[in-house]
Amino acid sequence: MSGLTRSRAAWIAAAAALLVFLPALGNGFAGDDLVAVRDNPAAHSVGAALSAWFEPYWPGEWRWAGLYRPLTIVSYGLDWTVAGGATWWMHLVNAILHGAATALVVWVVAAWVPPFGALAAGLLFAVHPVHVEAVANIVGRAELLVAIGLLGAVLAARRYRRAESWSARAAWLAVVLLAVLGGQFAKEHGVIAVGVLALDHALDRDRGAGRMTGLYVAVLAITMGWLYLWRQIAGGFVDVGAHAAFFELTWVQRLATMSPLYLEVLRLLVWPFRLLSDYAPQTVPVRTALGWLSVLGLVAVAAAVALGVLAIRRAPAIAFGILLALLSYLPTANLVFVSGVMLAERNLYLAVLAPAAVVGWGILRLEGRELRAVGIGLAALLAAFAVRTVDRIPVWNDSLTLVLQEQVAQPDNFHNRLLLSEFLWARGDSAWALGELLVAAELFQREPWPRVLASQRAVAMGRPRLALEQAEIAYGRHQEDPRIPEVLVRALLANDMTDSAVAVAATGAFRLRSSLDILRAYHDALREAGAEDRLALVSVRLDWLTGRLADAQRRLDSLAGAEFPDTGLAVTCEDLDGVRAVVDALRPDIWDALSRETGCVEANVT
């Protein structure tokens, strides 16, 4: 293919990527699309998305996952503005983004292999079946955007290294930083940017020595800034949003559970014909000790690392593909810290660069009959991958299709029961939906969310005793989860157990000071109990935390000189401590009076 250039190879691969995913235009909202896009007000206009820039990715009661992806939300808002929520448009955008990512793959790999090898790598990346979850499901866009950001940063950094003038270097540095920031604001995996850039730099035969220090410092600076934002907005929810399979497991036990899954990751990259939308504990056994399968998984990881390192000099394309795959999988590998998934196929989007790079480099080592034979075999493999991809796309057509397909594949999957329950509840089959939640709770008892939802649904259905039963079980097992005290308070109120509701809410509001949910539940419990003095202080905290400073000021003004009677639900020192920051900011002159009147001298208020 003497007429093949890098640009043509990139266009051909991008076209293949777009073509194979065109059937996804017939899909609607499925799975997480409903919460993150369809029912998320922030995703319905660019203005709303920008207003929610400093909010967690998941809205409302789902925000506990510890995710922060404002740029992805903005992209949904742009889609909604352009097409009014039409799903075909959103799926088309995903397919176009996949095509763009595929073109970038060709350009990145082309630094080490001729255009024909880069094209082979790009085609495999384009049609790989493991991409279906990322491309055919709207919320998979985060994977596409972060991949584009990271690969774009790599290409821009190469231009930066080769730039001759100061102005050109400054311009390319700006492009690198924008690409890195775009990737990080699209998905948390963008945090690996500095490692990806260092990897490409190390493999570059023309490194431009001495020119990268400023770039690395700048990338690290914006990464630290992003990490600070993420931590302040969503990072505190990471432990709460961790997958239930890892609750109460030691690091060794978590390793024993995860290491066999690394073999499954390898299988998905090499032979992705069996695909699942969810790898739950019933599919992936929770192991409490290292066994032979765990050791085999660790050996596979070590072998991959060794192969990537050994390939650095002789096959840099392979080294880049393998080591980037390892880097991209690390945030959800559950090694350094726990994540919200055990395994998700969408998280392997960039990891497909590993087999793609192997194919792109390996096919050029052959000649004559061997090349023709391998070429025919590769064409057959690409065709099989494309067929499997097209066959898998309709599974993500809508939530019901997804749930029914996965119910057949994994009848004991508790998470699938949760999805089925949500679908039934939205359809109005409340009793059936509640039953599915109770089944899910029994299938995997270490996960509190089925019981949390069951309690909420039971309250809504007028079944307070069942609501209290489920909430108490969840609270007894997972008191540290900030979602659960609020649910228990609501269940206690539904059972007219007001004093108990106040006690639970007070404990939760003191321990989980930044949780608006438990504070609102405390507010409602105090109102039911008629505890006006305590209610006034809690109202001040609510106004302060929700930005209603004028209301907080008025409430504090009314408290100046107020008397707090000694009743059964009198103001506690914890209540007073809760408004210390507000008083210091708005009315510091009344603190001493409030302390004396409530009997909480300053030494007793922490």
Side-chain angles (χ1 to χ4, degrees):
M1 300 183 71
S2 57
L4 186 66
T5 64
R6 294 182 181 184
S7 295
R8 289 178 181 174
W11 278 108
I12 292 170
L18 178 60
L19 181 63
V20 78
F21 277 99
L22 281 180
L25 271 63
N27 285 1
F29 294 115
D32 292 340
D33 292 345
L34 278 63
V35 177
V37 185
R38 191 195 68 180
D39 300 332
N40 184 5
H44 294 176
S45 72
V46 175
L50 292 175
S51 298
W53 187 271
F54 297 105
E55 296 293 330
Y57 175 67
W58 294 106
E61 64 183 359
W62 304 94
R63 68 182 180 275
W64 305 105
L67 304 181
Y68 178 54
R69 304 171 182 177
L71 187 61
T72 302
I73 295 293
V74 169
S75 77
Y76 300 149
L78 182 60
D79 283 349
W80 209 280
T81 300
V82 171
T87 54
W88 70 266
W89 172 263
M90 295 183 179
H91 286 292
L92 176 61
V93 172
N94 271 23
I96 292 172
L97 290 173
H98 176 51
T102 301
L104 292 176
V105 165
V106 172
W107 276 101
V108 168
V109 174
W112 302 293
V113 299
F116 181 66
L119 175 61
L123 289 174
L124 188 139
F125 189 89
V127 303
H128 202 288
V130 85
H131 288 331
V132 173
E133 183 174 348
V135 185
N137 191 213
I138 295 171
V139 294
R141 183 173 302 178
E143 313 294 337
L144 311 177
L145 291 174
V146 73
I148 290 172
L150 291 174
L151 296 175
V154 165
L155 294 173
R158 291 177 182 176
R159 300 296 294 269
Y160 171 86
R161 290 196 292 269
R162 290 161 175 75
E164 296 295 334
S165 67
W166 179 90
S167 59
R169 286 197 297 275
W172 284 113
L173 175 61
V175 175
V176 170
L177 298 183
L178 284 174
V180 170
L181 270 176
Q184 291 174 345
F185 282 125
K187 193 185 179 188
E188 299 77 11
H189 282 61
V191 75
I192 69 172
V194 69
V196 175
L197 294 174
L199 173 62
D200 182 68
H201 184 200
L203 295 171
D204 195 343
R205 295 187 179 94
D206 181 18
R207 298 184 183 182
R211 293 182 175 177
M212 291 295 287
T213 303
L215 183 144
Y216 287 138
V217 169
V219 171
L220 281 172
I222 65 171
T223 299
M224 295 303 295
W226 175 86
L227 280 170
Y228 175 80
L229 265 182
W230 167 78
R231 183 65 190 176
Q232 294 301 310
I233 295 168
F237 301 142
V238 168
D239 290 339
V240 177
H243 200 287
F246 305 122
F247 290 169
E248 301 176 359
L249 292 188
T250 65
W251 182 83
V252 174
Q253 291 171 332
R254 192 168 80 235
L255 182 64
T257 297
M258 282 301 302
S259 48
L261 263 182
Y262 302 149
L263 298 173
E264 183 70 3
V265 170
L266 182 62
R267 196 271 305 168
L268 283 168
L269 294 177
V270 176
W271 198 250
F273 289 98
R274 179 179 180 269
L275 301 169
L276 297 172
S277 67
D278 185 54
Y279 292 79
Q282 287 80 7
T283 306
V284 182
V286 175
R287 304 171 192 272
T288 57
L290 289 169
W292 68 269
L293 200 57
S294 302
V295 173
L296 188 59
L298 294 175
V299 169
V301 172
V305 173
L307 180 59
V309 172
L310 291 174
I312 288 176
R313 296 189 64 182
R314 297 190 61 184
I318 293 178
F320 183 83
I322 291 176
L323 296 178
L324 175 62
L326 292 168
L327 268 176
S328 68
Y329 183 59
L330 185 60
T332 51
N334 294 294
L335 280 178
V336 182
F337 50 84
V338 294
S339 72
V341 295
M342 300 185 76
L343 172 61
E345 291 166 6
R346 61 184 178 273
N347 289 333
L348 301 180
Y349 186 78
L350 264 177
V352 174
L353 244 170
V358 169
V359 167
W361 182 88
I363 198 170
L364 298 174
R365 309 276 76 80
L366 306 173
E367 296 179 355
R369 292 182 178 179
E370 288 182 343
L371 178 58
R372 285 193 294 273
V374 171
I376 293 172
L378 177 59
L381 179 65
L382 291 175
F385 276 14
V387 169
R388 181 66 182 107
T389 293
V390 172
D391 177 65
R392 180 69 177 172
I393 288 172
V395 170
W396 293 91
N397 181 70
D398 54 59
S399 289
L400 179 59
T401 302
L402 179 64
V403 166
L404 294 179
Q405 289 274 355
E406 296 306 305
Q407 190 71 12
V408 172
Q410 304 179 81
D412 294 331
N413 185 335
F414 86 94
H415 189 252
N416 198 58
R417 299 275 183 170
L418 280 176
L419 293 176
L420 179 57
S421 172
E422 288 296 295
F423 173 80
L424 293 169
W425 183 265
R427 201 177 70 174
D429 292 333
S430 55
W432 189 0
L434 181 59
E436 290 294 337
L437 287 174
L438 297 177
V439 171
E442 293 301 321
L443 281 173
F444 192 62
Q445 298 186 21
R446 295 169 64 189
E447 168 61 79
W449 194 240
R451 297 194 189 279
V452 168
L453 282 178
S455 180
Q456 293 172 332
R457 300 295 190 237
V459 168
M461 294 169 62
R463 302 183 63 179
R465 291 186 180 179
L466 177 60
L468 183 59
E469 173 190 296
Q470 295 301 307
E472 285 180 334
I473 293 174
Y475 187 76
R477 293 176 179 172
H478 304 284
Q479 293 186 31
E480 74 288 349
D481 191 325
R483 300 169 296 185
I484 296 176
E486 185 262 344
V487 174
L488 178 56
V489 171
R490 301 294 181 191
L492 288 166
L493 289 175
N495 283 273
D496 296 324
M497 300 172 67
T498 307
D499 288 352
S500 296
V502 169
V504 172
T507 301
F510 184 71
R511 184 167 55 88
L512 307 167
R513 292 173 179 250
S514 62
S515 173
L516 285 173
D517 289 336
I518 186 60
L519 198 58
R520 289 190 178 106
Y522 189 20
H523 178 277
D524 293 347
L526 290 172
R527 185 174 56 194
E528 289 292 322
E532 296 298 328
D533 298 321
R534 296 177 72 171
L535 182 62
L537 292 178
V538 171
S539 297
V540 169
R541 287 177 64 184
L542 269 176
D543 290 338
W544 175 259
L545 290 176
T546 54
R548 299 195 299 267
L549 302 186
D551 291 339
Q553 177 82 52
R554 281 195 297 271
R555 293 185 195 279
L556 286 178
D557 291 343
S558 68
L559 288 174
E563 296 183 359
F564 295 87
D566 185 13
T567 65
L569 287 174
V571 171
T572 68
C573 295
E574 289 80 7
D575 293 323
L576 187 61
D577 183 44
V579 299
R580 178 64 187 266
V582 195
V583 174
D584 287 346
L586 301 179
R587 287 293 307 270
D589 57 298
I590 68 171
W591 177 255
D592 290 340
L594 288 176
S595 299
R596 287 193 303 271
E597 185 62 35
T598 57
C600 299
V601 294
E602 188 168 347
N604 293 330
V605 180
T606 59

